[in-house]
Amino acid sequence: MRRLLVIGIGAGDPEHVTVQAIRAMNSADVFFVVEKRGETAELERLREEVIARYVEPDRSFCTVALPDPRRDRGATAYEAAVDDWRGRRAEVWESALARELPDGGCGAFLVWGDPALYDSTIAVVDDIRSRGRVELEHEVVPGISSVQALAARHRAPLNRVGGAVQITTGRRLAAGFPDGVDDVVVMLDADCAFTRFADDEMEILWGAYVGTPDEILIAGRVGDVAADIVRTRREARERKGWVMDTYLLRRPRH
Ligand SMILES: C[S@@+](CC[C@H](N)C(=O)[O-])C[C@H]1O[C@@H](n2cnc3c(N)ncnc32)[C@H](O)[C@@H]1O
């Protein structure tokens, strides 16, 4: 039986890595690294830094790169396109696991933030297990997500007394503020969907590259800070070639 560890490594600060994650990394014989299209050398370096910092120098392991299949981002049927891409990912990972991980060996995937949040690693591993061609037992090690990192850096709780919090995407927010909640965390928003709330009393706590040396934080009434966030985000993206940002939008409670 092969063992596979899906390890959350936090959202950019190597000190986000938990003691449990360090122990898990030190039991891996093979690190599988998904070569994401468009992922910059800087993100790859951060992952390498985590391995170099926390895996004992006398531990022998190897690293196997997994090319990521192309995803059809123009497809109108979004969920079908994601399903198709996950299926092709499962095929690539399945052959690599069969080829590179000996029976009895332990493999690991290092996942940005927490593996339970907007990440397909767990779903792909479930897919491989259900095909039954490679026998695997697996474990998930939680990580500090960008959501927790953002809240901590703004020194803000996510919920207010007895309230609910919804975590959603920019794509969904663009269709309207969700019903039944006052506090919404937004991820994966390339189009700054918050700008449509500039006329409301809504407050925003925004952060880019949270936990890294390039971290940028901006907070205030959306109407007051939206333009500043849009410009700051655009300039940062131009300067670094990539941007990852998350924000909390909150309706005032009177
Ligand atoms: C594919 S999701 C992965 C989320 C990750 N599993 C987590 O737990 O944070 C990528 C999105 O996470 C958010 N994100 C990840 N790292 C971030 C960081 N250091 N600062 C701000 N947002 C971040 C951004 O919204 C980005 O578009």
Side-chain angles (χ1 to χ4, degrees):
M1 178 76 88
R2 296 167 171 89
R3 205 167 148 239
L4 193 60
L5 304 173
V6 178
I7 306 172
I9 57 165
D13 182 344
E15 296 197 353
H16 285 168
V17 177
T18 66
V19 174
Q20 193 180 27
I22 294 172
R23 189 170 307 133
M25 283 192 273
N26 277 286
S27 53
D29 307 304
V30 184
F31 286 95
F32 292 95
V33 179
V34 183
E35 290 184 326
K36 291 194 178 160
R37 232 168 269 281
E39 183 163 295
T40 64
E42 196 174 344
L43 288 179
E44 275 171 34
R45 236 189 353 262
L46 268 164
R47 225 179 262 125
E48 282 162 15
E49 189 188 325
V50 163
I51 296 179
R53 184 152 165 182
Y54 295 117
V55 176
E56 299 294 336
D58 57 350
R59 237 202 104 75
S60 84
F61 64 87
C62 66
T63 302
V64 173
L66 302 175
D68 213 19
R70 191 173 288 280
R71 181 164 137 199
D72 183 2
R73 291 187 184 270
T76 41
Y78 178 77
E79 282 175 22
V82 172
D83 271 356
D84 168 67
W85 171 68
R86 272 188 191 165
R88 284 182 289 125
R89 249 188 171 186
E91 277 165 27
V92 173
W93 295 14
E94 184 184 68
S95 346
L97 285 165
R99 201 177 51 240
E100 310 284 354
L101 189 63
D103 199 20
C106 177
F109 282 89
L110 301 188
V111 174
W112 196 257
D114 182 77
L117 202 55
Y118 292 112
D119 185 273
S120 60
T121 310
I122 296 175
V124 176
V125 172
D126 285 345
D127 212 13
I128 295 170
R129 279 166 52 87
S130 66
R131 290 159 181 252
R133 279 179 228 145
V134 181
E135 249 199 299
L136 280 180
E137 63 172 29
H138 71 307
E139 224 175 282
V140 176
V141 178
I144 305 253
S145 71
S146 52
V147 177
Q148 293 157 292
L150 175 84
R153 295 297 294 137
H154 278 286
R155 295 171 293 187
L158 291 174
N159 67 289
R160 279 167 291 170
V161 181
V165 181
Q166 185 169 123
I167 301 178
T168 190
T169 62
R171 177 188 279 256
R172 285 186 180 275
L173 185 73
F177 199 86
D179 289 333
V181 281
D182 291 327
D183 297 84
V184 175
V185 175
V186 185
M187 305 174 77
L188 295 159
D189 183 8
D191 297 321
C192 298
F194 56 83
T195 51
R196 59 173 287 164
F197 304 103
D199 294 334
D200 303 351
E201 282 296 295
M202 206 86 74
E203 226 195 298
I204 186 168
L205 306 180
W206 177 84
Y209 317 106
V210 176
T212 76
D214 296 304
E215 176 179 280
I216 313 169
L217 303 172
I218 297 178
R221 257 190 75 246
V222 176
D224 296 335
V225 298
D228 187 23
I229 296 175
V230 171
R231 184 184 39 79
T232 305
R233 187 183 191 281
R234 188 186 56 241
E235 288 172 1
R237 188 165 193 266
E238 281 166 8
R239 194 169 58 247
K240 284 177 65 69
W242 61 281
V243 62
M244 279 211 277
D245 59 331
T246 303
Y247 54 91
L248 172 67
L249 267 186
R250 71 179 13 162
R251 235 197 285 263
R253 276 188 169 180
H254 298 294

